[in-house]
Amino acid sequence: MIRHIVFFSVPEGGDADAVETGLSMLTENPHASVLEIGRNTRSDLYDEQVDFVVYGEFEDEAALAAYRAHPIYQKSTATVRPLREMRMAADYDTDKAVKTSRYVG
């Protein structure tokens, strides 16, 4: 399974509700097994730059590619891009993820 995590920030004075609405379109994309849009609770002690998180799970790389090629993704991107400030994304294969400590000490 592939996990897809994207962080967004909204510029000061920007329209966070419009960004959330634009991102919410992604939940209609049929290629994700799980797709969630969350507002940052700002509970982290060190960083408050992130306003939204998009979290998705995909069966495999092909499903993630189909998600990105889907018209809903294109529409969401066109809506959100001019409203957001920062976008940072990461994808990883859960089968290759470290799941136990490697710490020796």
Side-chain angles (χ1 to χ4, degrees):
M1 176 178 62
I2 305 298
R3 287 200 174 123
H4 173 69
I5 304 168
V6 188
F7 298 99
F8 292 89
S9 68
V10 180
E12 190 171 328
D15 190 345
D17 291 336
V19 171
E20 185 175 52
T21 297
L23 291 173
S24 74
M25 291 181 220
L26 297 171
T27 64
E28 297 177 29
N29 191 313
H31 299 287
S33 303
V34 172
L35 205 296
E36 300 173 348
I37 312 302
R39 281 195 188 220
N40 187 1
T41 61
R42 300 208 181 270
S43 59
D44 186 80
L45 299 176
Y46 305 106
D47 192 356
E48 294 185 355
Q49 294 179 333
V50 173
D51 293 304
F52 291 97
V53 178
V54 174
Y55 172 83
E57 294 179 359
F58 299 85
E59 187 174 320
D60 52 27
E61 290 283 347
L64 179 57
Y67 165 82
R68 289 180 174 141
H70 195 279
I72 288 172
Y73 180 88
Q74 304 303 322
K75 184 176 181 180
S76 175
T77 299
T79 301
V80 172
R81 182 177 285 141
L83 302 173
R84 62 140 168 106
E85 189 168 49
M86 178 271 301
R87 178 192 181 275
M88 185 179 302
D91 303 318
Y92 69 95
D93 186 330
T94 61
D95 291 335
K96 297 176 183 175
V98 175
K99 296 178 183 174
T100 58
S101 176
R102 294 183 182 173
Y103 176 74
V104 178

